[in-house]
Amino acid sequence: MGSSSSRLNILETASKLFQVQGYHATGLNQIIKESGSPKGSIYYHFPEGKEQIALEAVEYTGKIVREQLNKTLTASADPVESLQSVVQHLVDHLGHPEDVEGVPIGLIALETCSMSEKLRKACSEAFTSWQRLFADKLIENGFKQDRARELGILLQCTLEGALTVSVTQDNSEPLRILKEQIPLIIKP
Amino acid sequence: MGSSSSRLNILETASKLFQVQGYHATGLNQIIKESGSPKGSIYYHFPEGKEQIALEAVEYTGKIVREQLNKTLTASADPVESLQSVVQHLVDHLGHPEDVEGVPIGLIALETCSMSEKLRKACSEAFTSWQRLFADKLIENGFKQDRARELGILLQCTLEGALTVSVTQDNSEPLRILKEQIPLIIKP
DNA sequence: TAAATTATGACAACCGGTCTATATAATTGT
DNA sequence: ACAATTATATAGACCGGTTGTCATAATTTA
């Protein structure tokens, strides 16, 4: 099959590195060194090179975050409460970039969106899938479909931004403020 | 003196490139080529190399955005209206990355915040200065100081996020949604 | 003119992604 | 069972581009 264990190993390592360091700061040498794989394996498993690895890494991260998000969103029935849990989860993992969860795809998205249409689309679809998760939660709780879609987009954007600023300022305050304002934002 | 015209020229070129492409994707060769300056000038004007250029570029961009922001915010007395103008301004300049205005510092912030404390701090201070501008506008219009500070942070984060997602999705919808929701977000 | 400052382009050391050439394992045919 | 062929896996060489240095030229100042 096309998917050996070493392939997945490379992909997981690459995903973490791309999230934390970004596309250009992450070299193939670093990926193979940290994953313990031999150099030659890269172009065997990913014949199209770095761009292919990044593409699959974005899709992979998109899925991981989707699952984590889904778990947190279904933990409570109340949309406000569960969304606040999502934010709190980000706060908790702020200083631990070794945990993949919570570090966004925003960096690689901004880096590549004006460079590779393939990568741009992959990032865009990850964003959209997260937005849809938020919207669905609101629809379940009686929001009209159009309104839920709007709020899903707004919430995902706001999360992305607050996370960016919190990381940059090395301070969870932006995320904590967002958490407190969620009841105000989620209004039918 | 330390500030010749060629120095400023290099700085302006570098600022644009760092904003659009990011830190690691922008090489010194590209900076000197696009600015028309000779290679040697870089290390004459910026003896500490790339990191120094990036640092000054972030400070420079922070100031430019601050001025543009201030202009737009003072155009209308009503805070909702003027904030919506800020968002509209971003929408208008979405597809024109050649205009510096509107392209954020988010990319270089995410790229460098886990790499250089100096750069992280510079980006952080740019963010803070923008947040303060929003907060001041609200204070002028009767908001309590603490509440205005909260909202200033929230607004700047949300703008950053919506811009990131709009650029990535090549679609101004996230920004347009944010614009419509501003009256809802700005509540005392 | 002499000295000090300002400015410059050629050069070196290095690191990146890519690819080729080769070794090992699996599969197939006879 | 053994040979031939294909598939899998790997190490290292290559080329282009990166940052940074430095000896020297141009310009200003005394």
Side-chain angles (χ1 to χ4, degrees):
Chain A
M1 295 288 135
S3 60
S4 70
S5 143
S6 102
R7 207 191 116 98
L8 184 62
N9 191 19
I10 291 176
L11 204 58
E12 281 173 344
T13 308
S15 297
K16 285 185 202 174
L17 290 173
F18 282 139
Q19 282 180 59
V20 178
Q21 304 182 343
Y23 182 82
H24 296 286
T26 302
L28 299 186
N29 291 328
Q30 191 184 10
I31 294 176
I32 60 102
K33 196 195 286 179
E34 295 208 11
S35 77
S37 308
K39 179 78 180 270
S41 301
I42 284 214
Y43 278 85
Y44 173 69
H45 290 299
F46 305 91
E48 287 167 58
K50 192 179 183 181
E51 194 179 344
Q52 185 186 356
I53 301 185
L55 186 73
E56 297 197 28
V58 167
E59 293 168 347
Y60 179 79
T61 304
K63 201 187 84 179
I64 297 287
V65 171
R66 217 175 299 134
E67 289 168 357
Q68 175 61 44
L69 227 46
N70 202 53
K71 205 193 296 177
T72 311
L73 283 177
T74 51
S76 161
D78 179 42
V80 168
E81 214 173 285
S82 55
L83 275 163
Q84 285 181 323
S85 293
V86 169
V87 183
Q88 183 60 46
H89 195 265
L90 292 180
V91 172
D92 295 341
H93 289 252
L94 242 197
H96 309 243
E98 66 275 6
D99 293 336
V100 181
E101 350 173 13
V103 186
I105 264 187
L107 172 50
I108 192 171
L110 284 174
E111 266 185 302
T112 60
C113 69
S114 65
M115 183 192 115
S116 154
E117 185 64 14
K118 268 195 230 173
L119 277 173
R120 208 216 88 232
K121 250 183 187 158
C123 295
S124 172
E125 277 161 26
F127 284 159
T128 302
S129 74
W130 303 341
Q131 292 165 5
R132 197 147 29 207
L133 243 45
F134 296 135
D136 288 348
K137 181 75 184 179
L138 295 175
I139 292 176
E140 283 173 24
N141 285 74
F143 283 67
K144 272 181 61 183
Q145 213 162 16
D146 288 356
R147 177 61 180 154
R149 209 185 83 89
E150 267 186 12
L151 282 178
I153 293 173
L154 185 67
L155 284 166
Q156 189 264 322
C157 291
T158 308
L159 270 170
E160 194 69 38
L163 189 51
T164 296
V165 177
S166 279
V167 169
T168 301
Q169 303 200 323
D170 197 16
N171 180 351
S172 62
E173 194 188 17
L175 280 171
R176 293 199 318 265
I177 290 178
L178 168 58
K179 184 184 170 189
E180 285 170 21
Q181 300 310 315
I182 280 191
L184 201 126
I185 295 174
I186 303 186
K187 283 281 164 62
Chain B
M1 295 292 129
S3 61
S4 71
S5 143
S6 101
R7 206 190 117 97
L8 184 62
N9 191 21
I10 291 176
L11 203 57
E12 282 174 343
T13 307
S15 299
K16 286 185 201 173
L17 289 173
F18 282 140
Q19 283 180 59
V20 177
Q21 304 181 344
Y23 183 83
H24 295 285
T26 302
L28 300 186
N29 290 330
Q30 191 184 9
I31 294 176
I32 59 101
K33 196 195 288 179
E34 296 208 10
S35 77
S37 308
K39 179 71 176 278
S41 299
I42 283 214
Y43 281 88
Y44 174 70
H45 290 299
F46 305 91
E48 288 167 57
K50 192 178 181 179
E51 193 179 344
Q52 184 186 356
I53 301 184
L55 186 75
E56 297 197 28
V58 167
E59 293 168 348
Y60 178 79
T61 303
K63 201 186 82 178
I64 298 286
V65 171
R66 216 176 301 134
E67 288 168 358
Q68 175 61 46
L69 226 47
N70 202 52
K71 204 192 297 177
T72 311
L73 283 177
T74 50
S76 162
D78 179 41
V80 168
E81 215 174 283
S82 56
L83 274 162
Q84 286 180 323
S85 293
V86 169
V87 183
Q88 183 60 46
H89 195 266
L90 292 180
V91 172
D92 294 340
H93 289 253
L94 243 197
H96 310 242
E98 67 276 7
D99 292 335
V100 180
E101 349 172 14
V103 186
I105 265 186
L107 172 49
I108 193 171
L110 284 174
E111 265 185 302
T112 59
C113 67
S114 65
M115 183 191 112
S116 155
E117 186 62 14
K118 267 194 231 171
L119 277 173
R120 207 217 87 232
K121 249 182 188 158
C123 295
S124 173
E125 277 161 26
F127 283 158
T128 302
S129 74
W130 302 341
Q131 292 165 5
R132 196 147 30 208
L133 242 45
F134 296 136
D136 288 348
K137 181 75 185 179
L138 295 175
I139 291 175
E140 283 173 24
N141 286 74
F143 283 67
K144 274 182 59 185
Q145 214 164 16
D146 288 356
R147 177 62 181 156
R149 209 185 83 90
E150 266 186 12
L151 282 178
I153 292 172
L154 185 65
L155 283 167
Q156 188 264 323
C157 291
T158 308
L159 270 170
E160 193 70 39
L163 188 51
T164 296
V165 177
S166 279
V167 169
T168 301
Q169 303 201 323
D170 196 17
N171 181 349
S172 62
E173 194 187 16
L175 280 171
R176 294 199 318 265
I177 290 178
L178 167 59
K179 184 183 170 189
E180 285 171 21
Q181 300 310 315
I182 281 192
L184 200 126
I185 295 175
I186 304 185
K187 283 282 163 62

